[in-house]
Each structure stands twice: as structure tokens, then as C-alpha cells.
Amino acid sequence: MIADTNVGSIDTTTRRRIMTVLFVGVFMAALDSAIIAPAIPALREAFGVDNSQVGLVTIVFGLFTLSSTALMANLSDRYGHKQIYLMNIVLFAIGSLLIVIAPNFLTVLIGRAIQGASTGGITPTAGAVIGDVFPPEERGKMLGLIGATFGMAFLIGPPVASLILTVLSWQWIFLLNLPVAVVIFWLGLRNLPKAPHSEKLPPFDYIGMLVLATMLSSLTLAINRVLDTELGLTLWPWLFGIAFVSLPLLIWIESRSSSPIVPLRLFGTRQLIVTYILCSGAGFGMGSVVFITSVAVAAFNTPAAQVGFWLIPMVICSSAASMIYGRMINRLGARMVMFQGFIILTAGMLILGLGASNFWLYMLATLLIGAGVGTVVGGTLRTVVLEEVQAHERGIAQGLVNMGIAVGNLLVVAVLGAIADSGGGGLQGLSLAYLVAAGVSGVMIVISLALRGRAATA
């Protein structure tokens, strides 16, 4: 475990103010991901685009979030976590403003790209700041609170968006980001600690960044096949090939770079390797939630407009579990937290796969899945990473956690969607998909045992 930097000079009141800045910033970015779904029909009508085209609003956001994460995290380690965090808040506001004033759909996509790129920097940089200002015994609790923001956002987002669309126009969904961003920037300017700036920095790893972006973009486009759909071509095998070839090339480049975009030493211990694998597994579990509403529609003929309300208990469980286990990590240890989290998640998926046609089993399954996701995607893995890396690598290490979760998210949508379709696309296919997801989560139970126990984490 890496020795911690001195955080004793920061008083409790200042830490609370810092946490407010980080929480509201991450919540703003998460909320914008959660409220976009209700706005999709309004965007389609406003710009005269079809379902395939309007889907780019989500795809572009996800693509730029994943591709920018390593860049923003690396910049935060080079130039200071405070500076890059605030820069991303400004970029997010600019992207929101572009969408509000967009004269055409292309401008909307550009705005979403800017929002995605800034979101890729906000969460990992916030995690790095927590490592800078909180002592080890408090980091799990703070990171658990940050993790809970995503559940809160998906609980609050859709109803808020629906209310805005009822009373005002769709532009207000994005316009409200501007005053929030101004407040975050002002509070951050006053309260976030400023890192000492080095006058002489090593050269930036432009080639490594280019190869990494190519690999991640190719992987994303291959999985969701958006280019195949838009161009009417079969490109996904070639894109997978590009991503596959880019990986050894990236390793070769980074091993020779004086300041790599992704330092290979961040994969130098078993603890870190296991953590990144679990991040992908956690993202896989988190992404599986997208099909839960489809199960309700298929099993109980629930109107699509109402099925979102069925997820409210699940989201509440997810947020509560994230905060509760964040507080318990020092007592239980990372291994036991992840072990229990994946057991809960696996149980929920098994129940959903075997008993989805029964209403009460369905509700029990959603509660377990919510609690499991909140536990495994919460602050535990981020806490492990903070304890394993040097202070000047906290940003990129947190970025790798985000990237692992994002890759898991991408894979689960493609894999479970294909399995569900192969099983007929109805309840039978969805049940089979969740049994497969339970199998993946079961493997993560075993892998989580490779984490260190309580004594090493505390």
C-alpha cells in the first residue's frame, strides 16, 4: 500500500465544503445522463430526426465520455486536480449551452460530445481530490457518497425531466445546468485545494493518447454497431480488429514513453489488476439494469410510460447500499464488501431469470439487483485504487476505474441484447439473458476473493 500524503492540515469544515463541490458536480453530470431519455421524443420532434438518428444523442455522449476519461485524468495529474475539475465544469456548461441554442441536430450532437468529454473528467478527478484531502479511514465513506449520486440522479432525473417537459420546453432540461455550473465553479474556486505546480513537465504522450482513443472508439462503435446501421455496411468485425491490434501497440508505446498517458505500473500489482477486472464486472452488472423494464413490460403488460416508476425502489436500494457499504469498508475490508455485493447481485439476477413472471419475485429481484449494483459500483474499488497508487497518479487511476465500468456497461447491453433476441426477444429470451448475467456475476464473486482483506485495506 502506498503511503498517504499529509491531509491533516485541512479542517473538517473545509472538507465538507470540498465534498459539496464534488458531490454537486458529479450529480450534475450524472443527472444529465438520467434525464436525457424523457427528452428523446421532444428532440426527435424538434429536429425531425428518426429513432436511429436521435439515438446518437446517447451514443455520442457515451463515446466521448469513455474516450476522454484517460486524457482528463492524466491532465489532472499533470496540472492539478482543482484546475482540471473546474475546467470540466466549464466545458459541461458550454456543451449544455450549445444544445439549448442549437439551430440543428448536428449542433445538439456537438454539445453532447462536449458534455460527454467533460463528464469523462469530472468523476475521476473528484475521486482523486477525495484522495488528496481525506484521510484513508474516511475515503470509503466519501467515495460511497459519490457513487450514490448516480442512483439519486436516476431516481430524480426522469420525473424532473417529465415535469420540465410538461411545464416548459425541452431546452430547459439543459439550460438549468448553467446556473448550477456557475455555483460549482465559484465554490470550487474558493474551496478546492490547489496542487503545487511544477514548472518543468515531461512531454505529453500524444501518440499514446491517439492510440488509446482509437482503441476505445473502435471498441465502442463495434459493440453498439452504430456505424453499421448508419452506413449500411458490416464494419463491426473490422472495428473489433482495430481495437485488438491497438492494445499491444498501446502497451509497446507506453512502455517507452517518459510520461505515458496510462502508466503500465498501474497494472503492476495483483491488487490493481483484480480491481480493474472487478470494475468491468461491476459495470456489467450496472448495465444489466437497462433490461429490467423490458421484463416488466413482457411479464405484466405494464405500459411503457409507467414502467419507470417500478424502478424507484431499486434505485433507493442502490443509493442506500452505496452509502452503507462505503461506511463499512474499513470494518469489513474491500474483499468482503465486493464478495457480499456480487453475491447480492447474483441472487437478484438468478431470481429475475428464474421467476420473472411472478410479480413479487420480480420486485424482490429488482431490490437485490439495486443493492448489489450500489455495493459493487460504489466507493470500494475506488478506495482500493487510491491506496495502491502514488498521489500524483490518483487521477489516471480513478480514470481507469471509470473506463473499466464503462466497458462493462457497453458489453452487457450488446451481450444480453443478443441473448434475449436469440431466445425470441420476449420474456423467455430476457430470462435467459439474466441467467447468463448471473453467471458472469458469479465469476466476479470468485475473483473478488483475490482482493486483500480488512487489515490491508483499513
Side-chain angles (χ1 to χ4, degrees):
M1 182 163 52
I2 301 300
D4 192 37
T5 55
N6 181 25
V7 295
S9 60
I10 302 176
D11 60 75
T12 302
T13 301
T14 302
R15 285 181 183 148
R16 287 175 181 169
R17 291 173 180 168
I18 291 170
M19 198 62 200
T20 300
V21 174
L22 301 179
F23 180 88
V24 177
V26 173
F27 183 74
M28 179 183 70
L31 188 63
D32 208 69
S33 301
I35 64 178
I36 192 64
I40 289 293
L43 290 171
R44 188 174 61 238
E45 181 179 349
F47 295 101
V49 294
D50 58 28
N51 288 323
S52 176
Q53 291 172 312
V54 81
L56 292 172
V57 170
T58 300
I59 293 170
V60 165
F61 183 88
L63 176 62
F64 276 83
T65 298
L66 180 57
S67 299
S68 71
T69 297
L71 171 63
M72 294 298 182
N74 188 280
L75 290 176
S76 75
D77 287 336
R78 288 171 63 90
Y79 300 108
H81 301 143
K82 173 181 180 177
Q83 291 88 327
I84 302 304
Y85 182 81
L86 295 180
M87 182 191 78
N88 280 290
I89 295 296
V90 172
L91 284 175
F92 193 89
I94 291 172
S96 300
L97 181 60
L98 268 181
I99 296 172
V100 170
I101 64 175
N104 51 53
F105 189 62
L106 177 61
T107 308
V108 172
L109 294 181
I110 293 173
R112 286 295 284 175
I114 295 174
Q115 282 187 321
S118 58
T119 298
I122 289 174
T123 304
T125 308
V129 173
I130 288 174
D132 293 341
V133 303
F134 285 93
E137 62 271 15
E138 293 186 28
R139 289 173 184 165
K141 180 172 64 176
M142 296 301 110
L143 289 168
L145 185 59
I146 291 293
T149 60
F150 293 92
M152 295 175 188
F154 279 87
L155 175 63
I156 297 171
V160 168
S162 299
L163 179 63
I164 291 173
L165 290 169
T166 302
V167 179
L168 302 166
S169 66
W170 65 266
Q171 286 92 341
W172 282 91
I173 290 176
F174 303 97
L175 188 61
L176 291 176
N177 289 330
L178 302 184
V180 175
V182 170
V183 172
I184 297 170
F185 185 85
W186 181 73
L187 291 175
L189 208 59
R190 290 169 57 91
N191 294 294
L192 291 181
K194 185 176 181 180
H197 178 66
S198 174
E199 295 296 330
K200 187 176 181 180
L201 293 171
F204 186 77
D205 184 17
Y206 292 101
I207 298 177
M209 184 65 242
L210 177 62
V211 174
L212 178 63
T214 299
M215 182 181 73
L216 294 175
S217 300
S218 299
L219 181 64
T220 303
L221 294 171
I223 291 173
N224 60 46
R225 302 191 185 184
V226 63
L227 284 183
D228 300 54
T229 302
E230 291 297 314
L231 302 177
L233 300 172
T234 305
L235 298 175
W236 66 267
W238 298 98
L239 291 169
F240 271 125
I242 292 172
F244 181 78
V245 171
S246 296
L247 179 58
L249 178 60
L250 178 66
I251 294 173
W252 183 80
I253 291 170
E254 300 301 80
S255 66
R256 286 159 175 76
S257 174
S258 59
S259 180
I261 192 76
V262 181
L264 297 182
R265 59 182 170 272
L266 295 184
F267 298 88
T269 67
R270 186 187 74 171
Q271 188 82 343
L272 286 171
I273 293 172
V274 169
T275 299
Y276 299 138
I277 294 172
L278 291 175
C279 285
S280 297
F284 195 93
M286 181 181 180
S288 70
V289 170
V290 73
F291 294 105
I292 287 181
T293 53
S294 299
V295 173
V297 172
F300 313 113
N301 295 317
T302 308
Q306 300 176 14
V307 72
F309 293 106
W310 289 38
L311 300 184
I312 291 177
M314 182 191 74
V315 175
I316 292 173
C317 276
S318 180
S319 298
S322 180
M323 290 185 285
I324 290 170
Y325 273 97
R327 291 176 177 272
M328 294 173 64
I329 183 175
N330 291 316
R331 186 169 59 183
L332 295 178
R335 179 170 62 197
M336 188 54 62
V337 169
M338 297 306 295
F339 181 73
Q340 292 183 11
F342 277 114
I343 285 178
I344 296 170
L345 183 58
T346 303
M349 290 174 170
L350 279 174
I351 293 173
L352 193 60
L354 296 174
S357 59
N358 181 287
F359 173 77
W360 294 111
L361 287 179
Y362 171 86
M363 293 305 298
L364 174 61
T366 63
L367 295 178
L368 290 173
I369 290 174
V373 168
T375 303
V376 301
V377 184
T380 302
L381 296 177
R382 297 182 184 279
T383 304
V384 171
V385 167
L386 283 179
E387 299 302 318
E388 287 291 313
V389 303
Q390 300 286 352
H392 66 277
E393 296 173 333
R394 283 171 176 159
I396 184 59
Q398 292 291 306
L400 289 173
V401 171
N402 277 36
M403 289 165 63
I405 293 173
V407 169
N409 263 310
L410 286 170
L411 288 173
V412 71
V413 174
V415 171
L416 296 195
I419 292 172
D421 289 341
S422 69
L427 183 59
Q428 183 176 355
L430 290 166
S431 297
L432 177 61
Y434 273 102
L435 289 177
V436 172
V440 174
S441 185
V443 172
M444 294 299 133
I445 294 175
V446 177
I447 294 176
S448 66
L449 293 175
L451 289 172
R452 283 199 296 259
R454 181 174 63 86
T457 305

